Amino acid sequence: MKLVSVIIPTFNREKSITNSIMSVLNQTYPCIECIVVDDCSTDRTEYIVKQIKDMRLRYIKNRSKKGASGARNIGIEAATGEYIAFNDSDDIWVENKLERQVQLMEKNPIYGMCYCRYRLHMEKNTICIPDLIDVSDMEGDIFNTLIRTNLIGTPTMLIKKETLYSIGKFNEELTAIEDHELALRIAGKYKIGYLNEILVEAYLTKGSVNSNQKNVITSLLKMYHVFWNEEEKKHDFENLIINAIYPIQEIEELNSCIKLVYSRGDSQYILFEILKRYVNFRKSNNLKIYLLKSIANNKKLQVMLEKNKIREHVMIYGNGDVGQVLSEVLEVIGYTVLGIIDQRDIQYRNIPSFHIFNLPDKEFDIINSLSEQRCSSSLLQEKLAHKVFSLEMICREN
C-alpha cells in the first residue's frame, strides 16, 4: 500500500482546522501522513493542531509568511509519500476520497494526476464543479479543456510525487488560482484521471485568496503568455477574464480591475463583453454607464469609430441598456446623437426615438448596439439604406 502525503496549508483557521485535519485522518485509506504547514498564524491554530494526537500528523510552522503556494511547496519538500494530495484548512473530504483516487491511479499508471468532483459552498449559493453531464473532455488529454475553464480545485488533486518534481511545484508568484496554473502544467505533459463523484466539500469564505477577483485577474494576466498566447486560444483567455470581472458589484473594485486589464493592453472586446453580461445579469445602470465611460475615457472607442470613418452625426439602433448608455458615451467623445431607433416609442434623455420607417431626412451613420447574433448589421443596412456599423464588431477589431 503506497503512502499518501496530505498537505494542509493554514493561516489563522482556528475555527475550521480541526474538521479539515480529521477529515483526512479519518479516511478509509489508512496509509497516509498529514502535514500541516502553518503560515505564521497569530490565533490558536498551533495549539489546536498540537492537541490532535495521531502519529500520522506532522506540524510545521513557517518562520516567515510564504502564502498558500509557498506553504504547500514547503509541505511537498517535507513529504515522503509516493502520492501527494492537498486539503485546505476550511475544506472537508468525504471519507473514501483517497481510497477511490488511489484505486483509480493504480489501475491507470499512465495518469500523472487525478481529481474528483467537488461541492463549492459560497456566501450566497452552492455549486458543483464540474457542473457538466458529459465527462468525455474531463479525463485523459484535458489541456484544451483546462484552457477554457478551471475544473480542478487543489483539495481534489491526487498527484504522483514524481509528476510534481517533473513539472515543478506551485508558482509562488501567483496571488490566486495557483491550482489552475499547476493543473495546466501537469495537463501539458501527462494524462489526467477523473472521478465523477463529489468527494470534497469546499468553502469559499469572504477574504480568502480566490474570493478576491483582482487577485484572480492579476494571476490570469501573469499566466497569459505561457498558456493563451496562440491566436486560437485568445478567446478562451478573454472569457476567463470576463468571468472573473462580471460578478464584481463594488464600483471601486470594478474600477481597479478594469484599469488592470487596460494596463496590460488586452482586447477592447473584453470590456464590450463585460458590458453585455452586466446588461444581461445586473440591474445597476451605474455599473453599465461606468463600463462604457471607461471605454470612452481611454479614447479607445473614439479611435475605433474614427478608424471606421463613422460620421459625427449618428443614430443608434436599439433602445435597450447598451444603446442608452452608448448615447451618453458618444456625446462625451464629441458625436451628435440624432436619435435612437427602436420599435418601442421610448424616449431617453430627451433623445428622439424613431421607428425604422420614420427616420429623419438627414445624413447620418447608424451604430447597431445589439449583438450580431440578435440583429445582423449587414441586413439592417440593406433595409435602412444607411451605413450601419456594429458596436460588437468595432470592439472586436482592436
Side-chain angles (χ1 to χ4, degrees):
M1 187 173 283
K2 293 180 179 178
L3 179 66
V4 179
S5 298
V6 183
I7 297 159
I8 305 178
T10 188
F11 173 71
N12 285 353
R13 293 291 186 188
E14 62 179 12
K15 294 181 179 179
S16 60
I17 187 65
T18 298
N19 289 337
S20 173
I21 293 172
M22 295 311 297
S23 77
V24 172
L25 296 178
N26 289 334
Q27 288 290 299
T28 55
Y29 187 86
C31 191
I32 62 173
E33 63 175 359
C34 181
I35 304 170
V36 175
V37 183
D38 188 342
D39 200 28
C40 300
S41 293
T42 56
D43 64 359
R44 298 173 66 249
T45 294
E46 179 175 358
Y47 172 79
I48 290 170
V49 173
K50 289 182 175 179
Q51 295 307 300
I52 301 173
K53 306 303 181 184
D54 192 305
M55 294 295 293
R56 299 171 297 171
L57 179 61
R58 296 162 59 191
Y59 176 83
I60 299 172
K61 187 159 187 177
N62 292 340
R63 294 182 178 180
S64 60
K65 196 161 175 52
K66 304 291 185 182
S69 291
R72 290 190 187 103
N73 286 341
I74 288 172
I76 291 169
E77 291 168 4
T80 60
E82 292 185 57
Y83 289 115
I84 294 180
F86 306 94
N87 197 17
D88 288 340
S89 54
D90 50 358
D91 295 341
I92 305 297
W93 283 0
V94 175
E95 63 179 7
N96 65 338
K97 174 190 181 287
L98 282 185
E99 181 180 359
R100 296 286 293 120
Q101 289 190 299
V102 171
Q103 287 173 352
L104 180 66
M105 293 292 284
E106 292 297 293
K107 287 180 182 178
N108 299 275
I110 195 171
Y111 291 158
M113 176 183 84
C114 73
Y115 69 107
C116 63
R117 204 167 183 230
Y118 68 103
R119 188 179 286 113
L120 179 62
H121 302 270
M122 296 177 287
E123 195 172 2
K124 294 183 179 179
N125 63 324
T126 298
I127 59 174
C128 294
I129 302 174
D131 191 18
L132 301 170
I133 297 174
D134 183 10
V135 300
S136 59
D137 294 332
M138 297 184 200
E139 58 187 352
D141 296 317
I142 64 169
F143 181 81
N144 288 332
T145 300
L146 294 179
I147 280 290
R148 297 190 296 270
T149 184
N150 183 10
L151 297 173
I152 306 176
T154 314
T156 72
M157 296 175 170
L158 180 68
I159 312 173
K160 289 179 179 177
K161 189 174 184 179
E162 63 188 53
T163 298
L164 274 175
Y165 277 91
S166 172
I167 58 97
K169 293 171 284 189
F170 284 92
N171 186 339
E172 296 183 26
E173 293 184 2
L174 300 182
T175 53
I177 58 170
E178 63 278 3
D179 49 2
H180 192 189
E181 194 271 346
L182 182 73
L184 280 166
R185 277 189 282 132
I186 294 174
K189 190 172 181 179
Y190 296 94
K191 293 184 184 298
I192 292 177
Y194 172 63
L195 282 171
N196 194 28
E197 304 170 27
I198 295 176
L199 299 176
V200 176
E201 301 288 343
Y203 296 84
L204 186 63
T205 54
K206 190 174 182 179
S208 65
V209 171
N210 284 339
S211 69
N212 184 321
Q213 295 307 104
K214 186 175 181 180
N215 285 343
V216 173
I217 293 164
T218 300
S219 295
L220 281 170
L221 292 170
K222 286 181 179 179
M223 293 160 59
Y224 171 74
H225 291 291
V226 177
F227 299 110
W228 292 278
N229 205 21
E230 297 175 20
E231 192 63 37
E232 66 271 16
K233 294 185 172 69
K234 286 184 178 179
H235 187 69
D236 296 322
F237 173 76
E238 289 169 348
N239 281 332
L240 289 171
I241 290 283
I242 290 164
N243 288 331
I245 289 182
Y246 90 80
I248 301 171
Q249 298 193 55
E250 293 295 330
I251 197 69
E252 290 185 5
E253 186 180 358
L254 179 66
N255 180 19
S256 177
C257 289
I258 287 175
K259 285 182 178 178
L260 186 60
V261 174
Y262 268 125
S263 70
R264 303 301 178 100
D266 291 281
S267 172
Q268 184 72 21
Y269 166 66
I270 292 175
L271 287 183
F272 181 73
E273 285 295 320
I274 294 167
L275 173 69
K276 286 203 302 184
R277 295 199 185 202
Y278 269 110
V279 169
N280 290 331
F281 297 108
R282 303 291 179 208
K283 298 299 180 183
S284 170
N285 284 327
N286 288 334
L287 285 174
K288 297 167 193 171
I289 291 169
Y290 182 82
L291 282 165
L292 267 176
K293 284 186 176 178
S294 294
I295 297 173
N297 290 339
N298 282 272
K299 302 296 183 183
K300 292 191 176 184
L301 181 61
Q302 185 172 3
V303 169
M304 287 184 288
L305 294 174
E306 291 172 353
K307 179 181 176 182
N308 284 273
K309 297 180 180 179
I310 296 176
R311 307 182 205 195
E312 292 184 1
H313 290 78
V314 297
M315 297 278 284
I316 296 171
Y317 188 83
N319 201 1
D321 291 311
V322 176
Q324 291 177 358
V325 176
L326 179 60
S327 69
E328 292 193 24
V329 175
L330 288 170
E331 291 180 355
V332 168
I333 59 180
Y335 284 79
T336 300
V337 180
L338 298 178
I340 301 180
I341 305 168
D342 200 282
Q343 293 181 355
R344 303 166 298 170
D345 186 16
I346 300 174
Q347 195 171 45
Y348 178 70
R349 291 193 316 109
N350 297 320
I351 297 175
S353 178
F354 294 92
H355 193 272
I356 58 173
F357 301 116
N358 185 31
L359 299 180
D361 187 19
K362 294 182 180 180
E363 290 190 354
F364 58 83
D365 291 332
I366 297 172
I367 300 178
N368 178 16
S369 69
L370 305 180
S371 69
E372 286 298 292
Q373 186 175 7
R374 181 177 170 189
C375 177
S376 167
S377 295
S378 59
L379 294 178
L380 193 62
Q381 181 167 299
E382 291 179 15
K383 183 184 294 186
L384 300 182
H386 283 271
K387 284 186 177 180
V388 178
F389 298 88
S390 164
L391 178 62
E392 179 175 354
M393 297 312 295
I394 289 171
C395 289
R396 281 179 181 269
E397 286 179 14
N398 185 43

